[in-house]
Amino acid sequence: MSFDPRITPARPELAAEHLRGKVTAARFAPGTVQEVIVGIASIRKDPSHDAPLLTETFCGERVTIYETDEEGWAWGQLESDKYVGWLPAVALLAPGSAPTHKVAALRTFIFPGASIKLPPVDALPLGAQVTVTREQDSFAVTEAGGFIPKRHLVPLANAEPDFVAVAERFVGAPYLWGGKSSLGIDCSGLVQVALTACGIKCPRDSDMQESALGKHASLAGLQSGDLIFWKGHVAIACGRNSLIHANAFHMAVAIEPVGEALARIALAGSQVTSVRRLK
């Protein structure tokens, strides 16, 4: 049986207990659910700050941890999109109460008290989740005692109406392989973050998205919200004649004419593999 290593918690040394009998490993572990307590935590290929960035996870995310090494790295699987990798153990704690709100601004700050003049203790990206226990003045107070501007939060169940509009808010954000925030984001990260803001579940990588999302459409009949795929890349149509994508050519999230983008990417040796329509 073949498993995608990106979303399968299995290494030769260790695998998740639920994979016993399905994969070969020296030992198996049941895993412990923990919660991300920092604004952004990097998920890396290996237990090192120099290792490639695979993806990112945000405050409030649950992670099943199967191993923590002596250097303070934890190996586990994200609850949201099932991605597997290493992250700093200091970014995790036992889960508190279930999150009640999520960040609706591109980025916000956590203050130690009810004043914007205080030095922030952390920053939260769009989509990060927090547990709000009360309100004070213009702030929401979290279970952990942080103060976040109320206007930057919405109830967890709230969904944005237009994922293209969400993506367009990232225009100018720098390109970062594996990134998912306004500090740095990649092509599939942009799609995932935008769709998630609208309450639509979305896999992490572009090949996964191409297989799982929507139905077949065509370039000739391109509509706003259509996803255009190349091998290893994805863009979002803003309409019939323009698209938005995080890309290494601009080293940023950019909107450009469809024809211009198609021609440039074709010159680099890549042709469109499919167009997918979500509605």
Side-chain angles (χ1 to χ4, degrees):
M1 189 177 296
S2 177
F3 294 94
D4 187 334
R6 295 171 293 181
I7 54 174
T8 306
R11 310 182 344 246
E13 305 86 1
L14 175 66
E17 180 62 42
H18 67 82
L19 293 173
R20 187 184 291 273
K22 300 177 182 179
V23 301
T24 301
R27 62 188 179 92
F28 294 83
T32 302
V33 176
Q34 299 199 314
E35 179 180 336
V36 178
I37 58 169
V38 298
I40 301 176
S42 297
I43 307 297
R44 299 193 179 275
K45 183 177 181 180
D46 300 302
S48 168
H49 291 291
D50 296 329
L53 178 66
L54 299 176
T55 186
E56 294 177 325
T57 181
F58 302 154
C59 183
E61 169 97 68
R62 264 49 172 184
V63 189
T64 301
I65 299 299
Y66 296 99
E67 177 184 28
T68 301
D69 70 13
E70 295 180 352
E71 301 298 321
W73 288 91
W75 181 72
Q77 183 173 36
L78 302 181
E79 181 181 274
S80 60
D81 60 18
K82 307 306 179 185
Y83 228 91
V84 174
W86 294 88
L87 69 161
V90 294
L92 302 166
L93 275 181
S97 302
T100 60
H101 290 71
K102 61 184 178 181
V103 176
L106 273 185
R107 200 162 192 82
T108 192
F109 291 112
I110 303 177
F111 296 94
S115 172
I116 59 172
K117 295 182 180 180
L118 295 172
V121 296
D122 203 351
L124 300 176
L126 176 73
Q129 300 180 5
V130 295
T131 304
V132 174
T133 57
R134 63 186 177 89
E135 295 183 357
Q136 182 175 331
D137 302 325
S138 61
F139 293 90
V141 184
T142 70
E143 185 175 53
F147 289 71
I148 302 171
K150 287 191 298 185
R151 65 174 60 249
H152 288 170
L153 299 176
V154 295
L156 205 59
N158 274 36
E160 294 279 354
D162 182 359
F163 82 92
V164 178
V166 176
E168 288 174 343
R169 292 165 60 188
F170 283 86
V171 168
Y175 179 84
L176 175 66
W177 181 277
K180 288 177 52 176
S181 82
S182 59
L183 288 179
I185 196 165
D186 65 16
C187 65
S188 55
L190 181 66
V191 171
Q192 186 186 54
V193 168
L195 286 177
T196 299
C198 296
I200 302 170
K201 289 187 176 182
C202 178
R204 177 59 179 91
D205 292 342
S206 61
D207 64 318
M208 299 173 174
Q209 294 169 356
E210 187 172 18
S211 297
L213 298 175
K215 60 184 180 180
H216 175 74
S218 67
L219 282 172
L222 204 60
Q223 296 180 9
S224 179
D226 286 350
L227 302 178
I228 308 167
F229 290 95
W230 296 260
K231 184 178 180 180
H233 189 58
V234 59
I236 305 168
C238 299
R240 185 177 182 86
N241 299 313
S242 64
L243 56 76
I244 181 171
H245 56 159
N247 66 94
F249 176 80
H250 295 96
M251 281 307 296
V253 176
I255 295 175
E256 60 180 320
V258 170
E260 184 177 304
L262 295 179
R264 186 184 68 253
I265 296 172
L267 283 174
S270 186
Q271 300 294 329
V272 172
T273 55
S274 72
V275 178
R276 309 292 297 176
R277 181 165 298 159
L278 300 185
K279 296 180 180 180

